[in-house]
Amino acid sequence: MATSMKTPAQIRQGRAALLFAALLPLLALVGALAAVKIAAPAAPPAPTAESPPTAMVATLALPAPATPPRVAAEPPVAAPARTFDDRIDELVALGRRTAERAQDDDHDGAAASDREARARFDELMAAFADAGERALRGLVAAIDAPVDGFVQGRELVLQLVVVTACARRAADADASGDRSPIDRFVHDVLAAIPANAAMAVVGERALARQPHLRLAHETAVLRLVELAGAGAVPQATATALLLTLWDNLQRFGERSSAALAALALALVDGADPSQRLAACRHLLRDPRYRAIALASLQTRGDRAFVADVATAVAQDLPVDDALGVLAELGPTLGRAPHAYLVCGHRDPDVVADAYRRLLADDVQPDRRADLVAGVGMARTATGLDVARTALAHDPSPAVRLQAVFALTANADLETALAALLQAADDAALTADPLRCDGLAYALQNLERHGDADAIDRATRRLGALSLSASGRAALAAIRERALPGGGASAPGGGR
Amino acid sequence: MPTFHRVLPPFFGAIAACLAASLAIVAAPAQGDCPRAMAVRVPQVIQYGAVVACSGVTYQTGGISLSTTTGCPLFATIVPEHDDVHPTDKRTEVVQTGSRPGVIAYFACETSYLLFIPWNSRCRLQQESPYGVYPLLITVACRNP
C-alpha cells in the first residue's frame, strides 16, 4: 500500500536515486580518470554533448561517498558537495549572464542560458527536499532594502524557490490527500512574513489568491492582521491574505458563506483598520451584504478609509458593480480619480457607457467628471472619444476641463492644442481662476510633442486668463523649458 | 443599475465648498453674510494602480518611491498637498492663493527578454501627466462682521 501510494515528491526522489545508481559506474570511471589526470595535469577539456559539464557531474555525484582511487600518489579531491547556497549563487550568476546576453542582443545565447537556469533550478528543487525552508531562512536573514545587485539577485532566486515550493507541495497534497507538508510550509511562510518587507512580498506572492491558506492557518493570518494594525506588516499584505483565507474557507467548504459574512460583519465596525478593510471588501463583494457595508462606511464617515475601500472596490469587483459602489460611496468619498482610473484601465468601455448615460440624462456633473478622468486618462481610443464628446457636449465646465486634461495628455498635438484653445475661449470654464490654473497645468501635457510654436501660441493665449500666481508660474516654467532661450517675451498679451 | 442618492460634491471633492466660499467672498459683503468656512491642509496622497512583478524597480521622485517591495505599478496617482474647505463656527471665509496640479505617473516594466530569472526587467517612468488642479487656500475673517 505504501509503495503504491507514493507522493510525487517520493516519486521524484526515487527517480533521482535510480538515476544515481545507474550512473554510479560512470562516476567511478570519471573518478578514476580524474585521478590519472591529477597525476598528469592538463587543461580540462571543454564540455561537449558527450561529456557533460563538470558542474552536472558534481550535481549527480553529490550523495556519493568518496571512493579514493588507489592508482594516484595523492588521493583525488572528490567533487565537493555543493551546498544550497552554492546552487543559489550559480542561479544568480546564470540569471545575470542571461540578462547580459539578452542585452547584447545575443538571443540564442540568452535562450540557452535561460534553459540552463531552468534545468539547474529543477535540480536544486530535487536535490533539497527542504529547499523552501532553506530559502525562507535566507530571505529572513536578507538585508531589508538591498542596494547591491548581487543581494537583489539572491533574493529573486530565493523568492522563486519559496513560491515554487508552495506550488509543488500543494500539487503533492492534491495527489496524495495529505496536506500536512503544505500546511506546515504555509505556516512557516506566514511566520516569516513579519521579518522584513521583502518577506511580506514573498508571502503575498506565494499565498494571496492561491488555494494554500486553509482553516489551519486562520490564527496565523489573524495574527498578521493584528500586526498590520500595529504597522509591523504591510496592511495590503494582511488584507490580501485574510481575504484569500476567507475565499478558500468558503471554496473548500471549511466554513459557510453565512458564517464568514457573520465574521466580517463583526469585524466591519472594529477598530483594527486591516480587519475593517478586509471585512468591508468581503461584504462589498457579496450583493447580499453590500448595503450593510455601505451603511457602515457612510455612518463612520472616515474619508481616508473610504478612499482605501474605493480603491479596493475598483480592483476587486466587476467594473459595472464597482462603479455602482463608488456612486453609493460618493457622498462620503468625494472625488476619487484614482478609483475611477483603476476602473478605466480595467474596462474603459464600461466606464465610457456609464458616462454617456449620465450625460444623456444631464445629471450628476461631478460624477461625470470622475468618469471622464477615469476613462480619458487611461490612454485608449475609447478614452479619447469620450473626452472629445465631453468637451463638445457636456454642459458642465468642470467636466469640459477634465476632457481637456485627457485630450492634452493623450491625443495628437493638433487635437490637444485645439482642445486647449477651445477651452481658453470657453467663458463659463474660465470664469473660475482655479479652472484657469487647470488649463495652465494641462498645457504641460503638450510639452512631450516638442513643438515650440504650439507652446508659444498656447502660453500666449492662456496668459490672458485670470490665473493665480501658481498658474502664471506654471506657464513661465513651461516657456522656459520649451522655447529657445526660455521665450523672449512673457505670456500675458491680449486675446 | 446603481442608484444615486445625491449629486456628488463639485469639482475635486471639497472644492465644491471652496467655490461656494469663493462666490461667497464676492457676495458676502453685499448681503452681510459670512460662509463660516475655514481652510484645512490635506497632505499629499499617492495611490498605486495594479502592480506587476518587475525585478529592477528603482524610482524615486516627488514622493514616489518604488522598490522590489512595492513592485511596478501601471500608474500612480499623486494628489498634491492642498487645502480643503471645512465648516466652522467662526466668522471666517477662505480665499484661494494658488493651486497645484494632480499628476498621474505612468510606468512600464520593460523586459527585453522573457527570462526565468527576470533579471533585466526595469520599471520605467513612461509619462507624467497633470490630470487635475487642487487649490491652495487661506482662511480670512469675513469682511462684514
Side-chain angles (χ1 to χ4, degrees):
Chain A
M1 186 67 179
T3 52
S4 63
M5 291 296 287
K6 280 182 178 174
T7 64
Q10 289 170 325
I11 291 168
R12 277 198 296 274
Q13 285 170 354
R15 282 178 183 161
L18 196 62
L19 184 62
F20 169 69
L23 289 172
L24 200 55
L26 177 64
L27 292 174
L29 181 62
V30 170
L33 287 172
V36 173
K37 291 285 181 186
I38 286 169
T48 65
E50 291 76 27
S51 65
T54 50
M56 180 66 80
V57 173
T59 303
L60 295 171
L62 183 62
T67 48
R70 300 178 183 187
V71 289
E74 295 177 7
V77 180
R82 288 191 306 153
T83 64
F84 180 79
D85 283 342
D86 290 342
R87 290 169 187 261
I88 295 293
D89 288 345
E90 182 186 32
L91 284 163
V92 171
L94 271 171
R96 183 176 284 170
R97 188 198 311 161
T98 311
E100 285 168 359
R101 288 177 176 175
Q103 277 175 342
D104 293 342
D105 290 331
D106 176 10
H107 296 305
D108 290 340
S113 186
D114 195 42
R115 278 195 301 274
E116 187 181 352
R118 290 168 195 268
R120 291 294 161 88
F121 186 83
D122 283 342
E123 289 170 20
L124 167 80
M125 297 302 290
F128 292 90
D130 61 346
E133 285 81 356
R134 287 170 184 260
L136 272 182
R137 284 198 291 274
L139 284 166
V140 167
I143 301 165
D144 197 356
V147 287
D148 174 66
F150 187 73
V151 174
Q152 191 181 349
R154 279 187 68 81
E155 192 182 289
L156 276 173
V157 176
L158 292 173
Q159 287 181 11
L160 204 55
V161 172
V162 171
V163 173
T164 305
C166 254
R168 290 193 176 183
R169 288 182 197 197
D172 289 349
D174 288 345
S176 68
D178 176 13
R179 285 197 52 82
S180 41
I182 175 69
D183 280 348
R184 270 198 305 275
F185 187 57
V186 168
H187 262 298
D188 290 344
V189 175
L190 290 170
I193 283 176
N196 54 44
M199 255 321 299
V201 174
V202 180
E204 190 172 340
R205 190 176 158 200
L207 302 177
R209 293 168 291 282
Q210 299 294 329
H212 314 321
L213 287 172
R214 299 294 178 86
L215 191 58
H217 309 116
E218 187 174 38
T219 306
V221 172
L222 287 174
R223 170 73 182 142
L224 286 178
V225 171
E226 200 179 312
L227 287 172
V233 168
Q235 192 183 75
T237 301
T239 306
L241 294 180
L242 185 56
L243 280 172
T244 301
L245 172 70
W246 285 350
D247 284 347
N248 291 348
L249 293 183
Q250 188 172 332
R251 180 176 159 197
F252 297 106
E254 292 182 308
R255 193 169 285 163
S256 70
S257 69
L260 283 170
L263 178 61
L265 285 168
L267 296 176
V268 77
D269 289 321
D272 186 296
S274 298
Q275 286 185 351
R276 280 170 55 207
L277 184 57
C280 265
R281 289 173 74 166
H282 183 78
L283 294 171
L284 286 169
R285 284 194 289 188
D286 189 334
R288 294 173 298 171
Y289 300 106
R290 200 168 284 163
I292 297 172
L294 286 168
S296 166
L297 288 166
Q298 284 157 354
T299 303
R300 231 180 148 110
D302 180 344
R303 213 161 187 176
F305 181 70
V306 171
D308 287 342
V309 171
T311 301
V313 158
Q315 291 165 347
D316 288 351
L317 296 183
V319 173
D320 218 2
D321 289 349
L323 291 176
V325 171
L326 291 176
E328 294 284 349
L329 286 174
T332 318
L333 177 63
R335 279 294 303 269
H338 182 78
Y340 282 87
L341 257 165
V342 172
C343 291
H345 272 85
R346 288 180 61 201
D347 196 335
D349 289 334
V350 170
V351 180
D353 286 346
Y355 168 72
R356 290 180 186 120
R357 283 197 297 271
L358 294 186
L359 178 61
D361 295 339
D362 191 12
V363 293
Q364 303 185 35
D366 308 305
R367 184 161 154 74
R368 295 204 302 268
D370 265 338
L371 290 163
V372 170
V375 69
M377 298 303 289
R379 303 198 291 182
T380 63
T382 302
L384 289 177
D385 185 50
V386 164
R388 284 193 196 93
T389 301
L391 182 61
H393 302 296
D394 201 298
S396 161
V399 181
R400 295 201 295 277
L401 175 61
Q402 199 62 66
V404 172
F405 276 116
L407 290 168
T408 52
N410 301 314
D412 59 85
L413 175 62
E414 189 181 348
T415 305
L417 182 60
L420 205 53
L421 296 177
Q422 179 182 335
D425 288 335
D426 184 334
L429 194 156
T430 56
D432 172 32
L434 189 64
R435 287 198 291 261
C436 292
D437 283 3
L439 293 179
Y441 298 132
L443 174 60
Q444 193 178 316
N445 287 327
L446 263 61
E447 283 187 71
R448 68 195 157 91
H449 297 289
D451 188 319
D453 288 342
I455 295 290
D456 186 40
R457 190 176 164 199
T459 50
R460 286 178 186 283
R461 177 67 190 87
L462 296 182
L465 300 177
S466 301
L467 299 164
S468 75
S470 307
R472 293 209 176 278
L475 277 191
I478 291 168
R479 286 183 71 86
E480 182 69 29
R481 289 192 298 266
L483 302 186
S489 59
R495 293 188 178 201
Chain B
M1 183 66 187
T3 57
F4 307 111
H5 290 315
R6 71 173 177 84
V7 174
L8 303 185
F11 191 61
F12 293 129
I15 293 176
C18 165
L19 294 177
S22 300
L23 290 174
I25 292 167
V26 177
Q31 297 172 1
D33 198 7
C34 178
R36 295 182 184 273
M38 61 183 288
V40 174
R41 184 51 53 101
V42 179
Q44 182 189 57
V45 175
I46 300 174
Q47 291 178 289
Y48 298 103
V51 170
V52 296
C54 198
S55 64
V57 185
T58 48
Y59 180 76
Q60 276 191 317
T61 186
I64 300 181
S65 178
L66 304 179
S67 67
T68 45
T69 304
T70 60
C72 185
L74 292 175
F75 59 89
T77 312
I78 306 160
V79 176
E81 184 181 59
H82 64 283
D83 295 301
D84 215 343
V85 179
H86 284 217
T88 176
D89 291 338
K90 296 175 184 165
R91 293 187 58 79
T92 57
E93 57 196 3
V94 296
V95 175
Q96 185 195 330
T97 57
S99 63
R100 285 181 179 152
V103 174
I104 298 172
Y106 298 95
F107 296 90
C109 183
E110 297 173 354
T111 305
S112 61
Y113 206 84
L114 188 60
L115 304 178
F116 179 60
I117 300 169
W119 194 283
N120 63 338
S121 56
R122 289 283 181 273
C123 187
R124 292 198 193 282
L125 175 71
Q126 284 191 318
Q127 186 179 328
E128 276 187 320
S129 299
Y131 73 90
V133 57
Y134 292 81
L136 296 175
L137 308 168
I138 56 170
T139 306
V140 298
C142 285
R143 278 173 281 183
N144 280 356

